[in-house]
Each structure stands twice: as structure tokens, then as C-alpha cells.
Amino acid sequence: MSAASLHSLPETATDPAALRQDLAAAFRICHQMGWSESVGNHFSAAVSEDGARFLLNPRWQHFATIRPEDLLLLDSGDETVLDGPDAPDASAWCVHGTLHRKKPEAKVILHCHSPYATALSCLADPTVVPIDNNTARFYGRTAYDLDFGGIADAEEEGERLADSLGDKSVLVMGNHGVTVVGETVADAYEDLYFFEKAAQTLILARSSGEKLSVLSDAVAQNTADGWRAYRGMAARHFDFLKSQLPTL
């Protein structure tokens, strides 16, 4: 992430209603993509500069039904959050509360178990090898946490994930799934979308049993750098997907 992103909230964060609209849309879009899982998984978005206050989906509400007004407004410093009648999912709180507190630059955090990203995370070596445009998009941007210990519901788990993420924008969670962070909902969603496509390409290529044609470091870096000029795609793509959502 750029140094500027450490000190400024994305444009939608200055408009709480717009941020709620975008985050709620992300849940519903991901369900349409087949990336929801029963009533689990969680997305969040910071509404304060330091990341302490953030929006999070309610406990066990299906992605397809989430509306802007359903999103919880939480404070990562509030030790009583899990005691209330509207307490969030403990795993969501432990991961997102810690990540927002420790990584204020991570304005939007999307975590799900999309099929190919999850399959990739279950390989002994889940490295995103650069073999095409989409896999090279994540060259130098992907972190890995391979210490899966079950459902994350303890603060130490959130601390470890934050440390594992470091300065990267994608965290492959071994035997689990993927977490993507971004400056806006559209940016984070676009990376989630392209990461799933990248994981699909890798899984399909590896399933052939043939040797991979891996790009050189120089070409992979050049390709990753080349994606920066296309950042505007994220907002246009997300706007289109929002326009296709049925009204709740």
C-alpha cells in the first residue's frame, strides 16, 4: 500500500451511508459469485482514521440478505462487545477487530472461503506462482499464514494473522481461505475477484500434471506493476455488479 493510504481514509469512508451501501453490496455480490458459506464469513470496513471503529456484518446473517442498516458499528477497544445481545461472531471480532486495530491502513477487510482460493490454501505449498496476468497481479503482494489451528476465536489468532499479513494486501490462510485488504470496498473486492481467478488458473494448471511455465521475476514484477494503471477498473466493475443486484 502507498504511504498516502496510511494517513487518509478512502472517499466512501467520509460518507458513512455510501460505505454502508458498498459493504452491504459486497456481501450480496459475493453470494451471487458462490463465495458465501452458510451464514458464516465476514467483511468489515473502517470508519475512523485509526481503524478503531469499523462496520462488520451481524452474527450469522446470510450474505444474500445483508442491507446497509444491518451492519454493526463496532469499536475495537470495546472489551464488552461480545457480551451484548447484538454481539458479532466471535471469530469475526477476533480477526477483524485485531486487524483494524493493528493495521489502520487496511480500510476494508474481506474474508471468505471462495472455492479455488480455499483449494489453493490446502496445498502443502500454496504459493501464488506467476504464470499469467492474473497470478502475476499478486506478485510481491501476497502473504501466507500456514499455522492453522482451527476456528479463529482468540485474540492471539488475530494478532498472528495481523503479523503474517505484514505490508501485503492478500493473506493466504493455510487450510482455511483468503483475506484481502484494500483502501475501498471496490478495490478489495476487485482483488478478491482476481485472486479467485488466479487460484483457479493455478489449480487447473497443476491438475494437468504438467510442469508450470513460470514467469521470470522481472516479467512477473513488470506485470504486477502494469496492473496499477488499471486500478480504475475496480470502481467500474463494482458499480456494474451493484447495478445488477435485486432490491431487498
Side-chain angles (χ1 to χ4, degrees):
M1 293 184 183
S2 66
S5 70
L6 297 175
H7 305 291
S8 61
L9 284 168
E11 185 176 343
T12 48
T14 63
D15 183 346
L19 185 60
R20 281 181 174 271
Q21 289 280 352
D22 279 358
L23 191 60
F27 288 104
R28 296 164 63 196
I29 290 167
C30 284
H31 171 66
Q32 289 189 335
M33 291 289 186
W35 302 343
S36 58
E37 187 162 285
S38 180
V39 292
N41 290 179
H42 19 85
F43 297 169
S44 63
V47 298
S48 64
E49 193 74 27
D50 60 1
R53 298 174 69 241
F54 62 96
L55 300 171
L56 182 71
N57 49 309
R59 180 174 181 255
W60 300 348
Q61 181 173 344
H62 198 281
F63 274 24
T65 70
I66 293 178
R67 299 164 299 175
E69 60 268 29
D70 294 325
L71 297 169
L72 304 173
L73 178 59
L74 305 174
D75 189 322
S76 63
D78 184 355
E79 297 181 356
T80 67
V81 164
L82 294 180
D83 299 329
D86 296 321
D89 175 76
S91 176
W93 171 249
C94 122
V95 173
H96 291 254
T98 306
L99 283 173
H100 279 297
R101 175 171 52 80
K102 294 197 67 173
K103 301 288 181 182
E105 69 273 22
K107 304 304 181 188
V108 177
I109 303 172
L110 307 182
H111 166 69
C112 69
H113 304 162
S114 50
Y116 285 98
T118 302
L120 181 68
S121 79
C122 294
L123 299 181
D125 180 4
T127 302
V128 182
V129 181
I131 58 174
D132 75 333
N133 278 331
N134 293 339
T135 49
R137 176 188 178 99
F138 300 100
Y139 184 79
R141 298 179 51 210
T142 308
Y144 301 86
D145 173 68
L146 305 183
D147 293 322
F148 179 75
I151 294 175
D153 56 4
E155 185 176 346
E156 309 85 75
E157 187 84 358
E159 296 276 352
R160 194 192 76 241
L161 293 174
D163 290 342
S164 296
L165 178 63
D167 63 353
K168 309 303 183 186
S169 54
V170 177
L171 178 64
V172 174
M173 304 164 74
N175 305 98
H176 188 167
V178 64
T179 293
V180 174
V181 305
E183 294 184 33
T184 69
V185 175
D187 287 335
Y189 173 80
E190 192 79 340
D191 268 350
L192 185 61
Y193 171 86
F194 275 108
F195 191 83
E196 180 66 3
K197 290 183 71 68
Q200 180 181 25
T201 296
L202 280 169
I203 292 296
L204 291 175
R206 289 193 182 281
S207 69
S208 72
E210 297 293 323
K211 183 177 180 181
L212 298 181
S213 175
V214 180
L215 303 177
S216 69
D217 289 345
V219 171
Q221 186 64 65
N222 184 57
T223 306
D225 293 343
W227 273 106
R228 295 175 186 169
Y230 292 86
R231 185 181 175 192
M233 287 174 57
R236 293 291 292 273
H237 185 204
F238 196 65
D239 282 345
F240 167 75
L241 293 171
K242 286 193 295 182
S243 76
Q244 303 302 299
L245 290 172
T247 302
L248 287 179

